[in-house]
Amino acid sequence: MKQSISAELLKLRHSRIGLVLTVLPSISLMIGCANFYLNQGVLENGWYSLWNQVCIFYGEFFLPILIAICCSYVCRLEHLNRNWNMILTSPVSVASVFLAKLIVVSILILFTQAFFLGLYWLAGTLFSLPGHFPVETIGWSVRGWYATLSISALQLAISLRIRSFATPIGISLCAVFIGLGMYTANLGIFFPYSLLTIGMSVLNQNQLTDIQNILFWVANLSFIIIFASVSIRRLKNKDIVLS
């Protein structure tokens, strides 16, 4: 497993994925800050109002797209020149290949979450918002990162299936709108993209009840296991190059 993770990290060297990981959160935060600045007369809840505005763009749109980009990128090399044939015949297990990709994507998204949280603190400081930095946002960021794991597992399954780099990203964008509909219908617990909305407290910053919190963690874990199991089984039983 360590060798598989090291190999995945090695592929990212000299790539521009780090630029994407910083630019997209920065753009989303600037859009949210502009909206907050123009509506300060209505948005009177300080740090929490700012969180709501920046997370609407980041958590609902930019972060899912960023996950899809990362997943497509870590599968890109394997789709070139029939490299899957070499990987699937190597002594490394298929499970290690998939899990290594999932772990690397999770590390990239964790960095993005930390970077975004830092930008949020900086923006609130520049706005001279009253009160202390809300420590709840750290928990929301961690919870949001956990929700991204199920989305990452799903997007990896799609990227392994589809050679195109852009198509999985388009699918992710469509899933975002489905997720919004599921969340509005109070069915967010049944859809990974809606779980991200719940995890980061994007639209509702009320504290989750004990039951809601348990359901959130269990649902995400279930999605991760299901998507990972399906992908690993497919890689074992079907030549991805001929699909």
Side-chain angles (χ1 to χ4, degrees):
M1 177 62 74
K2 288 183 179 180
Q3 291 180 342
S4 297
I5 296 175
S6 298
E8 293 297 330
L9 292 174
L10 188 61
K11 296 174 189 176
L12 299 178
R13 291 184 61 185
H14 309 299
S15 70
R16 297 182 179 178
I17 192 68
L19 183 63
V20 177
L21 295 175
T22 54
V23 170
L24 288 184
S26 299
I27 293 174
S28 64
L29 185 122
M30 286 189 289
I31 295 174
C33 285
N35 197 47
F36 175 80
Y37 178 78
L38 295 173
N39 295 278
Q40 289 187 79
V42 179
L43 304 172
E44 301 177 343
N45 202 17
W47 286 95
Y48 297 99
S49 293
L50 179 62
W51 178 263
N52 175 263
Q53 293 303 303
V54 297
C55 275
I56 285 177
F57 297 96
Y58 173 71
E60 289 295 335
F61 299 100
F62 284 87
L63 184 54
I65 291 173
L66 186 57
I67 294 170
I69 292 174
C70 290
C71 291
S72 289
Y73 194 88
V74 297
C75 295
R76 176 175 172 270
L77 185 60
E78 283 76 7
H79 286 310
L80 295 175
N81 302 320
R82 297 182 179 271
N83 286 331
W84 274 116
N85 287 335
M86 179 178 65
I87 291 175
L88 295 178
T89 55
S90 67
V92 180
S93 69
V94 170
S96 294
V97 173
F98 180 87
L99 293 177
K101 291 182 181 299
L102 181 59
I103 290 171
V104 167
V105 171
S106 69
I107 293 173
L108 296 177
I109 300 304
L110 181 61
F111 164 80
T112 305
Q113 288 288 86
F115 179 71
F116 176 79
L117 192 62
L119 290 178
Y120 165 72
W121 169 81
L122 179 62
T125 302
L126 293 176
F127 278 123
S128 299
L129 296 179
H132 298 290
F133 175 84
V135 294
E136 300 99 312
T137 56
I138 299 176
W140 296 340
S141 298
V142 173
R143 202 169 59 188
W145 172 78
Y146 178 64
T148 66
L149 297 182
S150 57
I151 298 176
S152 299
L154 173 58
Q155 286 296 146
L156 273 176
I158 295 172
S159 294
L160 289 172
R161 175 81 179 183
I162 302 174
R163 297 187 193 183
S164 169
F165 185 90
T167 302
I169 300 173
I171 293 174
S172 178
L173 184 59
C174 293
V176 165
F177 292 101
I178 296 174
L180 280 172
M182 294 282 284
Y183 179 85
T184 303
N186 294 321
L187 297 172
I189 200 71
F190 301 109
F191 197 63
Y193 292 81
S194 304
L195 288 171
L196 178 58
T197 304
I198 296 171
M200 291 198 69
S201 297
V202 176
L203 302 177
N204 187 347
Q205 295 165 2
N206 294 330
Q207 186 176 357
L208 296 180
T209 64
D210 291 338
I211 295 178
Q212 289 174 330
N213 201 38
I214 292 173
L215 287 174
F216 170 81
W217 289 89
V218 171
N220 271 292
L221 181 60
S222 300
F223 281 127
I224 295 169
I225 294 173
I226 291 170
F227 297 141
S229 299
V230 170
S231 295
I232 292 171
R233 178 176 297 180
R234 183 177 179 278
L235 283 174
K236 287 181 178 179
N237 299 328
K238 190 171 183 178
D239 187 351
I240 197 167
V241 175
L242 298 179
S243 59

